[in-house]
Amino acid sequence: MIGRSEQGLCERLSSESHYHHSVHRFCLPVLFRTERTYVRTLQELVDIYVRPACAPVTTIGGVTVSSGKDQVVPISERKIVFGDVETLFSFHKGSFLPALEKASRPL
């Protein structure tokens, strides 16, 4: 027969185990889905806005306007508008998301 303190410990462990199971079952899939969506959105931001803003301006309407040194959006303005979006994208896609997925795999 177990005493009150052991019974309380067993109940606590049981509820903690249930809590951890609930976290794994419900919260982690939401976390992964959210992170994947975030990475996909950063990819779109880089592809649609950042990279085209870095493109050299050579012609407008078929008329040569520069030697290719000028860019669609100057770097000083790109830094204000986009900050370090490419760095964030690279980190989340190349490091954080893979580490998160690896850590969630069963041993």
Side-chain angles (χ1 to χ4, degrees), residues 22-62:
S22 295
V23 167
H24 285 281
R25 187 164 180 209
F26 300 109
C27 297
L28 290 179
V30 171
L31 177 66
F32 294 134
R33 191 169 43 250
T34 302
E35 182 63 19
R36 287 182 191 112
T37 300
Y38 181 61
V39 168
R40 191 170 46 253
T41 302
L42 286 172
Q43 174 76 63
E44 291 171 355
L45 181 64
V46 168
D47 290 346
I48 296 169
Y49 297 103
V50 178
R51 289 195 181 127
C54 297
V57 174
T58 55
T59 60
I60 297 178

Side-chain angles (χ1 to χ4, degrees), residues 8-88:
L9 177 60
C10 289
E11 288 173 1
R12 222 174 349 156
L13 288 173
S14 174
S15 67
E16 286 175 13
S17 175
H18 178 70
Y19 169 77
H20 290 296
H21 177 72
S22 295
V23 167
H24 285 281
R25 187 164 180 209
F26 300 109
C27 297
L28 290 179
V30 171
L31 177 66
F32 294 134
R33 191 169 43 250
T34 302
E35 182 63 19
R36 287 182 191 112
T37 300
Y38 181 61
V39 168
R40 191 170 46 253
T41 302
L42 286 172
Q43 174 76 63
E44 291 171 355
L45 181 64
V46 168
D47 290 346
I48 296 169
Y49 297 103
V50 178
R51 289 195 181 127
C54 297
V57 174
T58 55
T59 60
I60 297 178
V63 177
T64 301
V65 293
S66 76
S67 63
K69 291 183 180 181
D70 295 326
Q71 296 172 328
V72 173
V73 178
I75 192 165
S76 59
E77 293 176 21
R78 279 198 322 268
K79 285 188 178 274
I80 292 168
V81 174
F82 300 117
D84 287 330
V85 168
E86 289 178 292
T87 303
L88 276 173

